[in-house]
Amino acid sequence: MKWTAVVAALLVVVATVAADDAHKQQVVNRLLNRITCHIPSAYAELKNAAETYDPAHDDSHYTDGGEAARHLVQEINDHRVLEQHHWFSLFNTRQREEALMLVDVLLHAADFATFEHSAAYFREKMNEGEFVYALYVAVTHSPLTDHVVLPPLYEVTPHMFTNSEIINKAYTAKMTQTPGDFNMEFTGTSKNEEQRVAYFGEDIGINSHHVHWHMDFPFWWNGEHIDRKGELFFWAHHQLTARFDAERLSNWLSPVDELHWDHPIKDGFAPHTSYKFGGEFPTRPDNKAFDDVDGVARMRDMIITESRIRDAIAHGYVEKEDGTHVNIDNEHGIDVLGDLIESSVYSPNAAYYGALHNQAHRVLGAQADPHGKFNMPPGVMEHFETATRDPAFFRLHKYMDNIFKEHKDKLHPYTKEELQYANVQITEVDVGELSTYFEDFPFDLGNALDTTETVEDVKVTAHVSRLNHKPFTYNIHINANHAEKVTVRVLLAPKFDENHVALDINQARWAGIELDTFWVDVPAGDSVIERSSSDSNVAIPDRISFPTLIHDTDEAVANGSPLSFETDHHARGCGHPQRLLLPKGTTNGMDFHFDVYISTGEDSVHDNVEDGNHGYCGMHGQKYPDKKPMGFPYDRHIPDRRLYDGLKNLHTQTVKIFFREDH
């Protein structure tokens, strides 16, 4: 009876926690649903909170005594905040400050009821874009919302991800009460060679990963320290650039060229996208010479900023504000440089080294109207959710990637002693078929449309062609001298350039794509490590659609049952789309190096690391799990490939990636 009572009590606790998670999920769903409509929240409890809650007089429910809430209420009462029905850009200093005021309020909520009521109150009084950004960041970082799954942004603010033509068709469908499913084409035509790789830059999964990465690791973040944030900035964007180059090679294009401040921007871009409020995204013509941007930066300032960073790399140290030096000629220097180049709050001297990355986004975004003559809204480069659509994004990041490479190439190459691992020999690696294909992906447009109580909603969706790959497995055959936990790193790198000239090891290593890094216990003797593409620790599955999220959550709340989806598996939006793990390849098969490198399990920071998405996104609230530099063992210059050829713990083979048009 005693144990029966304990089990019963535990079941009650589990049920209570499950119901609490479902309630939190429902609240966040409802806060975001129809956020850009011209009407207040349709949900009675949120509407009541918005009308009756007074955050300025609820000091005891905030961990800062209500200071942040009172400050934001005062700003609103003084009519100092951005009006509703207006575009929002994180790169606009004042708009960002306002959004962060709300982040501050929500992160200081002492309990979820306060979080809920505060969000409901400010939802009706703040700009919609500021509110969405603040809520997403707060849910991402607050311990009160650990198990809340954020809906895909492309279904919360569809205008940012969808061509204007499709939005117009969606409105027509709503007005005529005719359900519709519309095919969305990529921007440009076959006359533009960049159109061949538009499926990657305009992929809504890539767009989503990029914006969520910058929510997980905001450049303005001054809260609890985020481990290796600067290095993660380098690595996540280096991998995006390497993936883009692999797609270019798959489509008979040369790797993307870097951007130069004193050269014209070769490729123009016409977004064919409109803000919900604020008109069309500006268009940039081909071969546009850089203009100074009023209130942002002069081109000579960008060149000076770059030269100061390159001087720091050449000298091997960064000068802090107090004149002291931070040595960067070591494995931690990349972390300092990442903070410096972005630049984040962690920069040791932002006044001197500037903010190369952030200012570059603003400069590129404003080239259509650099002097504000036409009062145009921000360009796609001034939003993290739209930036990758512009080919200039990858030129910019190749430019910064080359600066990072300059630093990495200065470091002493790895020695044989640093690379070898005597316990394990890799004898063979079996790799399954690697093939890709295009498929149609539908997403909901309901949140793009205004609604009233007198007009019925109709189902309106868009579908877009997207790259996917056939699930694959690989088996790593090893022989171990003794049982031990080991670290396994799996990388993919193109074998040839666009002219089918073989890449040497130094060219291939920098173009390498991390497929997986994981830890596993191996027995003594012969054994096989089996791994699936779906296990990858750099990727995440498709986001749960917003309509499904709403339906399943409402059902769970109504029935008092747990949520039907795994919240831990879907909670983070940061992570490369799982279906884009492989580059497109070619119909005849494109050659890649498939490398497996095994080292000691002592490389792990944690005793146990569960599969997730830590490769590009770290572990939320914890130290990055791998002690080694990101990209190891290929992150440094290799003076002689024979050093790597002789490693028994490294296995390299050639694989082919096939593109199947008739999948």
Side-chain angles (χ1 to χ4, degrees):
M1 287 294 293
K2 186 175 181 180
W3 284 108
T4 303
V6 170
V7 170
L10 285 173
L11 289 174
V12 170
V13 171
V14 170
T16 302
V17 171
D20 189 44
D21 285 345
H23 167 69
K24 291 178 179 180
Q25 183 68 58
Q26 186 181 61
V27 168
V28 172
N29 290 348
R30 292 180 172 184
L31 285 167
L32 291 168
N33 194 28
R34 304 294 188 182
I35 183 62
T36 58
C37 289
H38 293 273
I39 59 172
S41 174
Y43 303 106
E45 66 278 18
L46 295 182
K47 188 175 182 181
N48 181 62
E51 294 172 350
T52 62
Y53 185 68
D54 187 355
H57 292 83
D58 201 8
D59 299 2
S60 64
H61 291 280
Y62 295 100
T63 57
D64 65 342
E67 181 180 347
R70 287 193 299 274
H71 176 63
L72 181 51
V73 168
Q74 188 63 52
E75 292 288 299
I76 292 171
N77 290 340
D78 289 345
H79 306 288
R80 284 175 46 81
V81 299
L82 182 67
E83 69 266 27
Q84 293 186 332
H85 311 326
H86 189 285
W87 56 261
F88 159 72
S89 171
L90 188 66
F91 287 107
N92 181 293
T93 304
R94 174 57 190 177
Q95 293 178 8
R96 179 174 68 252
E97 289 172 353
E98 293 172 12
L100 300 195
M101 290 178 200
L102 180 53
V103 172
D104 208 21
V105 173
L106 297 177
L107 290 182
H108 280 108
D111 51 70
F112 187 74
T114 305
F115 186 103
E116 174 186 353
H117 295 152
S118 300
Y121 176 86
F122 289 111
R123 181 187 191 272
E124 306 304 329
K125 294 172 175 59
M126 292 190 68
N127 173 269
E128 300 87 349
E130 292 181 350
F131 177 83
V132 169
Y133 179 78
L135 185 63
Y136 266 73
V137 171
V139 169
T140 298
H141 292 276
S142 174
L144 299 173
T145 50
D146 273 347
H147 301 293
V148 170
V149 177
L150 284 163
L153 265 172
Y154 49 79
E155 292 184 328
V156 174
T157 55
H159 282 78
M160 304 293 281
F161 301 85
T162 313
N163 295 351
S164 303
E165 177 189 9
I166 302 303
I167 297 295
N168 291 338
K169 288 181 178 179
Y171 268 109
T172 300
K174 177 77 177 280
M175 292 169 64
T176 60
Q177 291 291 283
T178 308
D181 177 33
F182 307 110
N183 178 48
M184 185 171 78
E185 301 286 351
F186 299 116
T187 58
T189 69
S190 57
K191 294 180 180 180
N192 178 9
E193 65 178 18
E194 294 299 320
Q195 178 72 7
R196 298 186 217 168
V197 287
Y199 65 84
F200 185 79
E202 297 184 30
D203 185 278
I204 57 177
I206 286 291
N207 301 157
S208 179
H209 161 56
H210 185 238
V211 68
H212 275 283
W213 190 95
H214 284 282
M215 289 176 175
D216 276 33
F217 306 99
F219 62 83
W220 50 262
W221 182 259
N222 58 3
E224 184 179 346
H225 182 79
I226 300 176
D227 186 50
R228 295 168 71 176
K229 180 174 177 289
E231 187 177 6
L232 274 165
F233 170 77
F234 150 69
W235 185 240
H237 291 86
H238 169 72
Q239 286 292 284
L240 265 180
T241 307
R243 280 292 286 107
F244 184 63
D245 278 347
E247 296 302 336
R248 295 179 70 85
L249 291 174
S250 298
N251 289 278
W252 319 107
L253 296 172
S254 60
V256 67
D257 190 19
E258 67 176 305
L259 172 150
H260 301 272
W261 299 119
D262 53 356
H263 293 179
I265 310 166
K266 178 184 175 184
D267 298 306
F269 183 60
H272 295 278
T273 309
S274 299
Y275 286 91
K276 170 71 173 177
F277 309 109
E280 295 184 355
F281 278 86
T283 294
R284 184 187 66 248
D286 284 345
N287 299 308
K288 170 70 172 67
F290 275 107
D291 279 316
D292 297 342
V293 178
D294 294 354
V296 176
R298 298 171 299 184
M299 289 306 99
R300 66 180 181 181
D301 295 332
M302 303 301 291
I303 294 170
I304 290 170
T305 296
E306 175 192 336
S307 68
R308 289 175 176 176
I309 293 169
R310 291 191 187 274
D311 283 348
I313 293 171
H315 291 140
Y317 64 82
V318 166
E319 188 169 317
K320 297 174 67 176
E321 290 181 0
D322 62 4
T324 59
H325 294 171
V326 178
N327 180 26
I328 59 173
D329 275 350
N330 52 52
E331 66 179 31
H332 303 296
I334 191 71
D335 193 40
V336 177
L337 274 177
D339 290 332
L340 201 74
I341 290 173
E342 186 178 15
S343 107
S344 77
V345 173
Y346 295 173
S347 173
N349 194 347
Y352 182 71
Y353 294 105
L356 185 63
H357 168 263
N358 295 345
Q359 291 294 74
H361 269 269
R362 296 184 69 189
V363 165
L364 277 162
Q367 285 306 301
D369 188 19
H371 308 299
K373 182 178 179 181
F374 305 105
N375 195 29
M376 297 181 76
V380 294
M381 287 293 287
E382 294 176 86
H383 301 275
F384 288 129
E385 54 266 65
T386 58
T388 65
R389 295 165 63 93
D390 188 340
F393 171 87
F394 294 101
R395 291 190 180 276
L396 170 64
H397 280 280
K398 176 61 73 71
Y399 156 74
M400 287 185 289
D401 202 50
N402 286 343
I403 297 175
F404 285 122
K405 186 175 186 293
E406 191 173 316
H407 159 72
K408 284 285 190 177
D409 285 350
K410 255 196 82 186
L411 301 180
H412 195 281
Y414 292 115
T415 64
K416 182 177 180 180
E417 290 70 30
E418 291 174 308
L419 294 170
Q420 66 185 3
Y421 173 51
N423 182 42
V424 168
Q425 176 179 355
I426 305 174
T427 58
E428 186 182 2
V429 177
D430 302 324
V431 183
E433 180 190 340
L434 304 179
S435 61
T436 67
Y437 57 91
F438 282 108
E439 65 180 7
D440 274 350
F441 174 70
F443 62 99
D444 185 70
L445 295 179
N447 262 11
L449 308 176
D450 296 325
T451 189
T452 69
E453 296 178 356
T454 58
V455 179
E456 292 290 327
D457 284 335
V458 295
K459 185 173 180 59
V460 184
T461 58
H463 63 269
V464 63
S465 182
R466 67 177 192 174
L467 187 66
N468 203 341
H469 65 78
K470 179 182 175 182
F472 63 92
T473 59
Y474 49 94
N475 300 321
I476 307 167
H477 300 259
I478 66 168
N479 179 272
N481 297 329
H482 57 267
E484 189 179 16
K485 181 168 80 170
V486 300
T487 307
V488 184
R489 297 178 174 86
V490 185
L491 300 105
L492 191 73
K495 190 171 182 178
F496 300 102
D497 68 10
E498 70 277 17
N499 296 313
H500 207 69
V501 175
L503 299 174
D504 66 37
I505 191 168
N506 269 305
Q507 294 170 308
R509 71 171 179 89
W510 198 250
I513 300 161
E514 180 184 6
L515 291 185
D516 206 355
T517 298
F518 61 95
W519 290 266
V520 63
D521 292 309
V522 300
D526 294 329
S527 64
V528 179
I529 301 171
E530 299 178 354
R531 194 72 172 172
S532 168
S533 57
S534 60
D535 299 327
S536 172
N537 280 318
V538 303
I540 60 173
D542 279 340
R543 311 292 293 155
I544 301 173
S545 76
F546 201 8
T548 300
L549 204 56
I550 291 171
H551 173 271
D552 290 1
T553 303
D554 289 349
E555 193 172 72
V557 171
N559 297 332
S561 58
L563 293 166
S564 60
F565 44 85
E566 296 180 42
T567 56
D568 289 342
H569 195 48
H570 291 277
R572 291 191 75 184
C574 181
H576 196 75
Q578 213 287 325
R579 59 185 171 78
L580 288 177
L581 203 56
L582 296 179
K584 174 173 166 275
T586 59
T587 53
N588 293 326
M590 182 175 170
D591 289 333
F592 283 83
H593 297 289
F594 191 95
D595 292 3
V596 178
Y597 176 83
I598 296 181
S599 58
T600 173
E602 293 179 0
D603 290 345
S604 174
V605 172
H606 310 288
D607 291 336
N608 294 296
V609 181
E610 296 182 0
D611 288 339
N613 59 340
H614 57 71
Y616 304 157
C617 301
M619 297 176 68
H620 195 61
Q622 301 181 60
K623 284 185 174 295
Y624 191 80
D626 192 351
K627 293 178 184 177
K628 293 295 186 183
M630 298 171 201
F632 178 82
Y634 291 127
D635 62 306
R636 296 189 187 180
H637 178 74
I638 301 173
D640 189 339
R641 74 159 298 127
R642 290 175 296 181
L643 180 65
Y644 282 68
D645 288 342
L647 295 173
K648 294 182 178 180
N649 55 314
L650 171 66
H651 185 278
T652 300
Q653 68 189 75
T654 300
V655 296
K656 287 184 180 291
I657 300 179
F658 294 91
F659 172 62
R660 309 294 191 189
E661 294 189 52
D662 57 350
H663 177 81

